[in-house]
């Protein structure tokens, strides 16, 4: 569980944005602040030596785009291009916020940044990324992409086309009309989170004006993060009060564009909020861990029926099931999810079921046991909840059934990856061992919820399959609502 106590405003945003992500309707608009912790040079520092050449003090200037234009008027574009290419080439690794945005499954990104941290982070996460940087990029599309990035102000590898001086902004609608059209469509159809923008960012005023022109009065709900003005950052109380009044007026003004400000006390709170969004999204990904050479204390048919209905009902409740295709368990889990798919005419099996069959024959340079551990780690990292059933195998001599050490490893990896375990103790073997562990240490594994803990404890009592499934579904729902 996250240690941060979220405000009611933050909780409302988190819950709403989770829904938009699940529906595929969420988008990110990234500004310079997203890359700040990775070494993104701010606009004043970028233009500082250019201003010096003009005998201007950059710290006294507010119209930074005007400064860039003044420099261009005298010296043209060469040095500006070199600044963009060199300053932003040093950014090679995304921040934790970049990684979180990749993991939570956002498919649409807009950015005014010249760096390549968003696309690099997505690609490092194994995703296929399409970039729109120039008008020519709209003439083709990458099939089966996982994400698309609109770099509306250009890229550090094409600095001559980067949007920076006044001329660029004033001619944007003519020269970059395809970007404006695409942005209009996304702003109308998606819920945006503006992240990394500050009122010192020279691009913000242009972006907000563009949104207003594009949407007129048809403004859907969008969000942005703002750090609260803090008195400790000011030497004089009058300066703090002035800044606070100005921030309140800015926040009020943003509502004209359909943008609701989500206030944070520290920039690090943004990471905690994104982490909470990831946690809530993962809670609908349920890993089923189990293996069964023996179904005792159940009869075989009874056990198969129980596993089938558990998988069916989990799918019915809108969850995605992750399975490692454990012996005696995996096929039944698949059958349950498939039956729900066909009974409900559910279109996409990928939204219901993720299968990761374990390799059985050793090959290559890595031992099969190492492969299995990496495999288990990758599977559990995608889940928010894990259900453990049975968990037994033949000993090496094939003389007797023993507890499965592989299922115990999956439990340990779940705890490492902050996956909430639900061992069904009544199914015996390693699941009973794990149930004993969690019920003896409820504070360590579960939030403080009396009904949740009582239902977890009940999973060690009744063999009635309908009651077991009912209790598991109940536990999952309580966890997903937390």
């Amino acid at each position: 569980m996250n240690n941060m106590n979220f405000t009611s405003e933050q909780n409302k945003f988190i819950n709403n944005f989770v829904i938009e992500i699940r529906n595929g309707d969420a988008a990110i608009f990234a500004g310079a602040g997203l890359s700040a912790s990775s070494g993104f040079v701010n606009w004043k520092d970028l233009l500082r030596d250019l201003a010096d050449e003009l005998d201007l003090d950059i710290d006294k200037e507010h119209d930074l785009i005007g400064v860039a234009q003044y420099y261009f008027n005298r010296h043209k574009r060469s040095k500006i291009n070199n600044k963009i290419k060199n300053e932003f080439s040093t950014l090679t690794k995304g921040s934790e916020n970049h990684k979180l945005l990749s993991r939570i499954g956002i498919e649409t990104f807009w950015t005014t940044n010249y760096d390549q941290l968003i696309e690099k982070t997505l690609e490092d996460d194994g995703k296929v990324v399409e970039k729109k940087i120039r008008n020519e990029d709209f003439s083709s599309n990458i099939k089966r992409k996982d994400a698309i990035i609109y770099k509306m102000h250009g890229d550090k590898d094409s600095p001559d086309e980067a949007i920076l001086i006044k001329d660029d902004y004033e001619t944007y609608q003519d020269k970059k009309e395809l970007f404006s059209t695409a942005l209009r469509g996304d702003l109308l159809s998606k819920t945006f989170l503006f992240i990394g923008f500050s009122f010192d960012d020279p691009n913000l005023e242009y972006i907000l004006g563009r949104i207003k022109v594009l949407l007129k009065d048809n403004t859907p709900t969008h969000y942005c993060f703002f750090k609260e003005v803090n008195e400790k950052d000011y030497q004089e109380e009058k300066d703090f009060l002035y800044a606070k009044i100005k921030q309140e007026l800015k926040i009020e003004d943003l509502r004209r564009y359909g943008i609701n400000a989500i206030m944070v006390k520290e920039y690090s709170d943004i990471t905690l909020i994104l982490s909470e969004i990831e946690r809530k999204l993962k809670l609908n990904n349920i890993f089923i861990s189990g293996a069964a050479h023996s179904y005792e204390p159940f009869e075989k048919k009874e056990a198969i029926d129980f596993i089938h209905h558990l998988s069916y009902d989990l799918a019915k409740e809108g969850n995605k099931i992750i399975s490692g295709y454990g012996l005696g368990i995996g096929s039944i889990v698949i059958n349950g999810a498939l039956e729900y798919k066909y009974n409900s005419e559910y279109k996409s099996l990928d939204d219901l079921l993720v299968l990761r069959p374990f390799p059985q024959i050793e090959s290559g340079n890595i031992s099969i046991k190492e492969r299995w551990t990496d495999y288990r780690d990758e599977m559990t990292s995608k889940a928010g909840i894990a259900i453990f059933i049975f968990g037994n195998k033949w000993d090496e001599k094939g003389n007797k059934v023993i507890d499965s050490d592989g299922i115990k490893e999956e439990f340990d990896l779940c705890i490492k990856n902050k996956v909430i375990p639900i061992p069904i103790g009544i199914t015996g073997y390693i699941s009973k061992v794990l149930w004993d562990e969690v019920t003896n240490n409820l504070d360590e594994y579960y939030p403080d919820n009396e009904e949740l803990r009582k239902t977890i404890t009940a999973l060690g009592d009744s063999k009635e399959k309908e009651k077991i499934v009912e209790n598991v579904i109940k536990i999952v729902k309580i966890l997903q609502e937390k």
Side-chain angles (χ1 to χ4, degrees):
M1 303 297 292
N2 241 313
N3 293 326
M4 180 177 175
N5 292 318
F6 297 108
T7 66
S8 59
E9 175 191 68
Q10 290 167 347
N11 268 319
K12 185 177 179 182
F13 159 70
I14 289 167
N15 292 329
N16 288 344
F17 207 61
V18 163
I19 292 170
E20 298 300 330
I21 294 170
R22 285 181 181 147
N23 292 338
D25 293 330
I28 296 296
F29 208 131
L34 179 62
S35 300
S37 63
S38 301
F40 189 103
V41 61
N42 64 47
W43 294 109
K44 284 191 174 182
D45 287 339
L46 180 70
L47 299 173
R48 188 172 299 278
D49 60 341
L50 304 185
D52 288 343
E53 289 187 42
L54 298 172
D55 295 323
L56 293 176
D57 183 348
I58 196 67
D59 294 315
K60 293 181 180 179
E61 296 297 325
H62 297 287
D63 183 6
L64 301 183
I65 293 170
V67 172
Q69 182 67 49
Y70 300 154
Y71 189 87
F72 174 82
N73 294 342
R74 283 194 179 179
H75 304 289
K76 301 307 176 188
R77 184 101 184 189
S78 178
K79 190 167 183 178
I80 296 176
N81 291 347
N82 285 335
K83 293 281 288 183
I84 292 173
K85 194 170 186 70
N86 289 309
E87 293 289 352
F88 297 102
S89 291
T90 61
L91 306 183
T92 57
K93 190 173 183 180
S95 66
E96 182 60 24
N97 288 345
H98 283 92
K99 295 172 186 176
L100 282 163
L101 292 173
S102 175
R103 293 201 301 263
I104 62 181
I106 302 287
E107 298 175 0
T108 302
F109 291 83
W110 284 81
T111 184
T112 54
N113 296 346
Y114 309 131
D115 66 67
Q116 298 174 350
L117 295 182
I118 295 174
E119 52 264 51
K120 284 183 178 179
T121 305
L122 289 164
E123 288 165 353
D124 287 346
D125 208 17
K127 297 186 176 182
V128 177
V129 181
E130 180 171 3
K131 293 186 288 186
K132 304 292 188 188
I133 302 172
R134 302 168 303 165
N135 288 331
E136 292 81 357
D137 296 331
F138 285 85
S139 64
S140 61
N141 295 289
I142 295 176
K143 305 298 183 184
R144 300 182 181 275
K145 57 181 170 284
D146 299 300
I148 184 167
I149 303 172
Y150 296 92
K151 306 192 74 169
M152 60 183 301
H153 284 178
D155 181 90
K156 59 103 177 170
D157 288 343
S158 303
D160 54 311
E161 297 182 32
I163 306 300
L164 180 60
I165 63 176
K166 277 189 175 181
D167 280 349
D168 298 329
Y169 286 97
E170 290 168 357
T171 60
Y172 193 92
Q173 294 299 320
D174 293 328
K175 293 183 177 180
K176 299 282 188 178
E177 183 181 357
L178 292 174
F179 282 91
S180 295
T181 301
L183 179 59
R184 182 189 297 114
D186 280 351
L187 286 166
L188 284 169
S189 62
K190 297 182 182 296
T191 296
F192 273 79
L193 171 60
F194 290 77
I195 181 169
F197 284 102
S198 73
F199 292 116
D200 295 326
D201 189 327
N203 293 314
L204 184 58
E205 180 182 348
Y206 291 91
I207 293 163
L208 295 182
R210 192 169 300 136
I211 291 171
K212 187 66 176 175
V213 170
L214 290 172
L215 299 186
K216 297 183 172 59
D217 295 324
N218 302 310
T219 52
T221 299
H222 303 298
Y223 301 95
C224 65
F225 288 122
F226 277 94
K227 183 179 179 291
E228 294 177 9
V229 174
N230 194 317
E231 189 170 4
K232 70 180 182 182
D233 295 329
Y234 296 85
Q235 292 183 348
E236 301 286 339
E237 183 181 9
K238 64 179 182 180
D239 294 332
F240 161 68
L241 293 174
Y242 183 87
K244 188 175 181 182
I245 290 169
K246 186 174 180 181
Q247 184 178 72
E248 289 171 354
L249 291 171
K250 288 287 187 181
I251 290 168
E252 185 180 310
D253 191 55
L254 282 172
R255 297 193 187 104
R256 293 193 300 125
Y257 308 101
I259 300 174
N260 296 285
I262 308 303
M263 306 306 297
V264 297
K265 292 188 180 299
E266 305 291 342
Y267 288 121
S268 58
D269 292 347
I270 295 174
T271 304
L272 294 175
I273 290 171
L274 294 177
S275 296
E276 179 66 2
I277 289 172
E278 180 187 33
R279 186 189 75 82
K280 282 185 172 287
L281 285 166
K282 279 187 175 183
L283 287 174
N284 279 87
N285 296 341
I286 299 181
F287 177 52
I288 297 182
S289 173
H293 281 279
S294 169
Y295 293 109
E296 291 181 2
F298 295 83
E299 296 292 332
K300 182 176 181 180
K301 184 179 183 309
E302 186 181 28
I304 290 173
D305 194 41
F306 148 62
I307 298 166
H308 183 97
H309 280 87
L310 176 63
S311 178
Y312 184 99
D313 284 6
L314 286 169
K316 182 180 177 182
E317 292 296 328
N319 299 295
K320 178 182 284 190
I321 299 167
I322 302 171
S323 172
Y325 208 78
L327 185 64
I329 302 292
S331 292
I332 309 167
V333 169
I334 295 170
N335 286 341
L338 282 174
E339 183 175 342
Y340 171 71
K341 172 184 169 10
Y342 293 121
N343 284 351
S344 62
E345 297 183 352
Y346 203 92
K347 291 182 179 180
S348 175
L349 184 60
D350 290 341
D351 290 338
L352 289 177
L353 194 61
V354 176
L355 292 176
R356 293 289 186 270
F358 279 74
Q360 299 298 318
I361 298 174
E362 192 150 345
S363 62
N365 298 321
I366 300 177
S367 74
I368 200 165
K369 290 202 171 183
E370 287 181 77
R371 292 274 188 210
W372 286 356
T373 296
D374 292 341
Y375 216 51
R376 288 182 169 117
D377 193 27
E378 193 272 338
M379 275 193 298
T380 56
S381 70
K382 304 297 184 186
I385 296 171
I387 297 169
F388 297 86
I389 48 179
F390 298 101
N392 61 73
K393 64 178 185 178
W394 285 114
D395 66 4
E396 290 184 1
K397 295 181 180 180
N399 293 330
K400 62 178 181 178
V401 176
I402 61 172
D403 289 348
S404 170
D405 52 354
I407 305 305
K408 174 60 167 63
E409 183 181 40
E410 288 173 3
F411 176 86
D412 293 338
L413 288 168
C414 282
I415 302 307
K416 185 200 85 168
N417 290 321
K418 300 180 181 179
V419 181
I420 303 174
I422 306 176
I424 303 178
I426 195 62
T427 60
Y429 300 98
I430 197 66
S431 291
K432 173 63 165 60
V433 174
L434 299 177
W435 178 83
D436 286 338
E437 162 65 21
V438 301
T439 53
N440 287 328
N441 301 279
L442 290 167
D443 288 339
E444 184 177 339
Y445 293 100
Y446 305 107
D448 185 10
N449 182 293
E450 184 178 349
E451 189 65 20
L452 170 67
R453 296 181 177 197
K454 184 174 76 173
T455 313
I456 290 280
T457 303
L459 292 178
D461 298 335
S462 173
K463 274 182 58 181
E464 184 184 346
K465 61 181 184 294
E466 290 84 4
K467 189 64 178 176
I468 298 171
V469 173
E470 178 186 322
N471 281 336
V472 171
I473 297 298
K474 182 178 181 180
I475 293 165
V476 168
K477 286 184 175 180
I478 291 173
L479 291 171
Q480 289 172 345
E481 290 168 0
K482 290 298 290 179

